[in-house]
Amino acid sequence: MSIRNSLLALLSAAPAHGYGLKSIFEAGTAGAWPLNVGQVYTTLSRLERDGMVEPVEDSDDDRRAWRITDDGRVALAAWYEVPVDHRSTRDELVIKVLVAVAAGDVDVAKVIQTQRVATMERLQQYTRHKMAADPAVTMPWVMLLDALILRAEAESRWLDRCEERLGMAAASP
Amino acid sequence: MSIRNSLLALLSAAPAHGYGLKSIFEAGTAGAWPLNVGQVYTTLSRLERDGMVEPVEDSDDDRRAWRITDDGRVALAAWYEVPVDHRSTRDELVIKVLVAVAAGDVDVAKVIQTQRVATMERLQQYTRHKMAADPAVTMPWVMLLDALILRAEAESRWLDRCEERLGMAAASP
DNA sequence: CGACACATGTAACACGTTACATGATTTG
DNA sequence: CAAATCATGTAACGTGTTACATGTGTCG
């Protein structure tokens, strides 16, 4: 629902047309998540179907502009008010490790090691980016980097802890 | 693809039937992500269509057991070998905050505050669970708790940092 | 006997993703 | 003029999710 709600959010500030929404979304998320234009149009159709947006008629323009409806604003407010809950989001790394343990026939230590190497490499990349970035750097870009760094650090710590726990379990039956 | 790959992973250890896979998956992920049985059957059909699994014929049993194929093992190995990359996964919280900033007409501080309250509450819950859990507690359950705690801590720190940055930006144009 | 776990499956739909077709406008 | 950007849209498909229909076995 992230894209759906994002479009709604961007339209709440001002009406816009499909292509514009793509640009605003990508700029606002620092280009981290490229958005296929086609998806914007399909998502807008679905939002219209659900009464969340409506076309703005303007005979002088062959582009189709969209406006958020009152129902749309209600849905948007709900998105902002209800906190994100990670328990309900399946985390692929956690699943991968837990399932590897459950399966029993997998070299979990190797999986953890592979992941950690990648995570640490990325962590260095992010840090380098942040250093290189002058204070004049854009807001979304820094905020995104912060998020990636903190997440990578947490992940690295989790991997360490998993290794410990699995080592202990292997030592004592 | 998490469920798809998880089923493949569980079948790599031993053949199993649909209902059994549901149970093993849920036990292996500490009940955190309940799996609708129907989904197991649809996913198995798709895996069969793609040549990843095949039915085990056994006339003595009216249940349908499944076995992983060689192609399935190749796909599974790829899953284990390719590290998870968070840059490609859209993080709903990050999107929400960045989009709120981009939209301009949203009380971002309030969104951050709401999220932080929820995050801190959950953090306490997790910690309590961990304390209550005797050392005899199951492996997947502790590993999952570790993951949730570390993620919540990282999230809380990120929210703090966002608040700071936004405060600074508001102070100096 | 009734409730619950075991067991299989289908139908319908949600969102997300890519590829494709098509054309106007801008800019080097 | 050619290439890039702006601009709209459709078709087809992928995974995930829920609701529904249906039946057997077991245990208190």
Side-chain angles (χ1 to χ4, degrees), chain B residues 104-173:
Chain B
D105 65 337
V106 185
D107 186 349
V108 187
K110 197 176 142 198
V111 173
I112 291 176
Q113 186 55 22
T114 307
Q115 181 71 36
R116 182 165 32 215
V117 169
T119 304
M120 296 311 282
E121 260 168 27
R122 277 170 209 146
L123 194 49
Q124 284 178 19
Q125 269 179 35
Y126 302 149
T127 312
R128 251 180 282 136
H129 275 302
K130 214 175 156 185
M131 303 293 253
D134 279 56
V137 91
T138 57
M139 182 62 86
W141 181 228
V142 215
M143 286 171 73
L144 179 70
L145 273 178
D146 282 343
L148 289 173
I149 288 172
L150 286 165
R151 197 127 157 51
E153 284 172 349
E155 191 176 292
S156 149
R157 272 188 222 118
W158 185 65
L159 291 168
D160 289 348
R161 223 172 269 191
C162 285
E163 219 169 34
E164 276 175 49
R165 292 203 188 276
L166 292 171
M168 278 166 53
S172 65

Side-chain angles (χ1 to χ4, degrees), chain B residues 17-20 37-38 41-42 62-64 90:
Chain B
H17 44 262
Y19 193 88
V37 208
Y41 295 109
T42 54
D62 51 345
R63 299 177 300 180
R64 297 193 73 189
R90 274 194 275 265

Side-chain angles (χ1 to χ4, degrees), chain A residues 17-19 37-38 41-42 62-64 90:
Chain A
H17 45 261
Y19 193 90
V37 210
Y41 295 110
T42 54
D62 51 346
R63 299 175 301 177
R64 296 193 71 190
R90 274 194 275 264

Side-chain angles (χ1 to χ4, degrees), chain A:
Chain A
M1 301 277 291
S2 291
I3 290 182
R4 194 180 146 100
N5 284 314
S6 294
L7 295 190
L8 222 44
L10 297 177
L11 286 179
S12 84
H17 45 261
Y19 193 90
L21 286 171
K22 171 206 159 79
S23 315
I24 303 171
F25 177 86
E26 289 183 342
T29 52
W33 298 295
L35 187 51
N36 186 301
V37 210
Q39 191 169 350
V40 176
Y41 295 110
T42 54
T43 305
L44 281 171
S45 308
R46 288 165 184 165
L47 281 168
E48 187 188 18
R49 175 201 60 189
D50 300 340
M52 303 291 185
V53 303
E54 59 190 11
V56 179
E57 45 220 277
D58 180 357
S59 42
D60 289 3
D61 201 337
D62 51 346
R63 299 175 301 177
R64 296 193 71 190
W66 297 88
R67 171 202 297 141
I68 192 171
T69 64
D70 290 347
D71 280 5
R73 287 192 192 278
V74 171
L76 178 59
W79 189 48
Y80 281 135
E81 272 154 37
V82 177
V84 173
D85 189 351
H86 293 114
R87 281 170 300 185
S88 51
T89 309
R90 274 194 275 264
D91 182 318
E92 198 185 349
L93 176 59
V94 175
I95 285 204
K96 197 191 274 194
V97 173
L98 290 189
V99 162
V101 171
D105 64 338
V106 186
D107 187 350
V108 188
K110 196 176 141 201
V111 174
I112 290 176
Q113 187 55 21
T114 307
Q115 179 71 38
R116 184 168 30 218
V117 170
T119 304
M120 297 310 284
E121 260 169 28
R122 278 170 209 145
L123 194 48
Q124 285 178 18
Q125 269 179 35
Y126 302 149
T127 312
R128 250 179 284 135
H129 275 300
K130 214 175 153 184
M131 304 292 253
D134 280 56
V137 90
T138 57
M139 181 61 85
W141 182 227
V142 215
M143 285 171 74
L144 180 70
L145 272 179
D146 282 343
L148 288 173
I149 289 173
L150 287 165
R151 196 125 157 53
E153 285 173 349
E155 192 176 289
S156 151
R157 272 188 221 118
W158 185 66
L159 291 168
D160 289 348
R161 222 172 269 192
C162 285
E163 219 168 34
E164 278 176 46
R165 290 200 188 280
L166 292 170
M168 279 166 53
S172 66

